[in-house]
Amino acid sequence: MQELQDAPLAPLTTFRLGGPATRLLTATTDAEVVEAVRAADDSGTPLLVIGGGSNLVIGDKGFDGTALRIATKGFVLDGATLELAAGEVWTDAVARSVEAGLAGLECLAGIPGSAGATPIQNVGAYGQEVSSTITEVVAYDRHSRETVTIPNAECDFSYRHSRFKAEPDRFVVLRVRFGLEEAGGLSAPLKYPETARAMGVAEGERVPAAAARETVLRLRAGKGMVLDPEDHDTWSAGSFFTNPILDREQFEAFLVRVADRLGPEVSPPAFPAGGGHTKTSAAWLIDRAGFTKGYGTGPARISTKHTLALTNRGAASTDDLLALAREVVAGVHEAFGVTLVNEPVTVGVTL
């Protein structure tokens, strides 16, 4: 297991931000992951687990403890059952599943990060969420000090949330198992209007899975959501805020604020979210509150391609990024009475 002292963490994140860790370990096997976690717990050393670094905002002072980078490998396909090691690059795994003629992950193409992070955040995009195909998660339980297998029904998946996110200091994901669909090379039924329009079909139709993947990659790239070291719009964590979910009273108050600010003829995006709740669009809120594409004059700005991405233009600090995020949160709340919640995990800082 590789060990470095006073190790820079910024290069391990897609924001390219954050100070050093006291110690950085890189684990390439499940046994090494468990060994490192147990050692940190036994000594009372703070532990930061890093996968692809695509969902991390690390403070400029860094992390006073052990950072554990999970670099395990493993892509095992048995019929339509797929098992991924936590360190597998997610977008590569999606490509391989499509090449194998399986459906269920094709619209999650281009999402940066590692496979082990997907159940934590219940990663989703373009009408698919991993919760619909994950069958079980193998994780190290820091409470019971044993490796456990957690079935889907016990993962408590919801919109961008899970049991693993609710208990961030308990589970370290080791492997994720998926039940995909053998559909003769076709995709799962398309659920997202933008994807269906881009492919010239109706929602609910199937298309070649490879074509669906390529379409999603093209749509994401147009929004700066596919990593490109030469494009500062991709020096981000993708969507910085989750789409707000409002109860009936909150949504009615929101509609009044929209009418007052934008006129009674304006209807904001609204999607049923179960239990009488309504989901609206964080990107729409940000834009209509006056934070348009490219907003900002400093080294941290809103993406020029998508208002939901906050970006490092090359010389930003984490403090610069957080100042911009706080400005957006305050502006949206003042305009519409809705409080945005950050999607990335913060380390050593708060929004």
Side-chain angles (χ1 to χ4, degrees):
M1 187 156 43
Q2 184 188 70
E3 178 176 341
L4 298 173
Q5 303 294 323
D6 195 29
L9 295 180
L12 302 182
T13 74
T14 52
F15 264 124
R16 294 170 171 81
L17 296 176
T22 305
R23 183 172 71 146
L24 172 65
L25 301 177
T26 299
T28 57
T29 67
D30 290 355
E32 288 181 348
V33 172
V34 172
E35 175 190 348
V37 175
R38 283 179 173 165
D41 289 345
D42 288 343
S43 63
T45 303
L47 179 69
L48 171 64
V49 177
I50 300 176
S54 61
N55 204 43
L56 279 180
V57 177
I58 299 173
D60 292 319
K61 293 182 179 180
F63 183 71
D64 185 13
T66 296
L68 172 62
R69 177 172 172 260
I70 297 182
T72 53
K73 296 296 180 185
F75 180 102
V76 180
L77 197 57
D78 181 8
T81 300
L82 172 64
E83 179 182 280
L84 297 177
E88 280 288 330
V89 176
W90 174 251
T91 193
D92 292 347
V94 171
R96 291 178 69 179
S97 74
V98 171
E99 289 169 3
L102 298 174
L105 302 180
E106 59 280 351
C107 291
L108 301 175
I111 295 176
S114 62
T118 60
I120 298 172
Q121 193 75 2
N122 185 16
V123 163
Y126 294 95
Q128 288 183 344
E129 287 184 330
V130 292
S131 58
S132 65
T133 51
I134 287 177
T135 57
E136 52 191 20
V137 176
V138 179
Y140 176 68
D141 185 340
R142 298 170 70 181
H143 290 186
S144 66
R145 297 177 64 83
E146 62 182 355
T147 298
V148 296
T149 300
I150 304 173
N152 180 295
E154 296 177 16
C155 291
D156 297 338
F157 287 125
S158 60
Y159 172 67
R160 300 299 174 269
H161 198 70
S162 70
R163 178 182 184 182
F164 312 104
K165 189 173 182 179
E167 300 180 84
D169 297 323
R170 180 170 180 180
F171 298 104
V172 177
V173 175
L174 301 174
R175 298 190 169 264
V176 188
R177 294 174 180 146
F178 301 83
L180 304 180
E181 181 186 4
E182 293 179 342
L186 296 179
S187 70
L190 298 180
K191 296 181 180 179
Y192 200 70
E194 184 181 13
T195 314
R197 285 196 303 269
M199 302 202 71
V201 299
E203 290 178 56
E205 288 191 33
R206 295 178 183 265
V207 297
R213 174 180 172 271
E214 290 299 325
T215 298
V216 167
L217 287 173
R218 186 174 69 253
L219 291 172
R220 290 184 64 87
K223 299 172 183 177
M225 298 291 185
V226 176
L227 293 182
D228 179 352
E230 302 302 318
D231 183 359
H232 284 283
D233 279 333
T234 74
W235 290 34
S236 74
S239 299
F240 195 88
F241 300 103
T242 58
N243 290 322
I245 296 178
L246 310 176
D247 61 27
R248 287 188 180 91
E249 184 177 346
Q250 291 170 329
F251 186 65
E252 288 173 2
F254 168 55
L255 291 178
V256 172
R257 297 288 286 268
V258 170
D260 288 345
R261 182 179 178 90
L262 303 175
E265 72 284 355
V266 175
S267 297
F271 310 94
H277 290 74
T278 302
K279 180 168 67 176
T280 191
S281 165
W284 186 92
L285 290 168
I286 293 167
D287 181 73
R288 295 305 180 95
F291 302 100
T292 53
K293 295 174 185 176
Y295 177 89
T297 58
R301 304 180 195 175
I302 290 177
S303 167
T304 66
K305 300 181 181 71
H306 199 294
T307 55
L308 203 48
L310 308 188
T311 68
N312 171 13
R313 307 316 293 184
S317 66
T318 301
D319 284 347
D320 294 327
L321 176 74
L322 293 177
L324 175 61
R326 290 173 185 136
E327 183 183 1
V328 172
V329 169
V332 167
H333 188 270
E334 180 181 0
F336 299 112
V338 175
T339 301
L340 294 178
V341 176
N342 54 290
E343 187 167 327
V345 175
T346 55
V347 178
V349 291
T350 57
L351 187 56

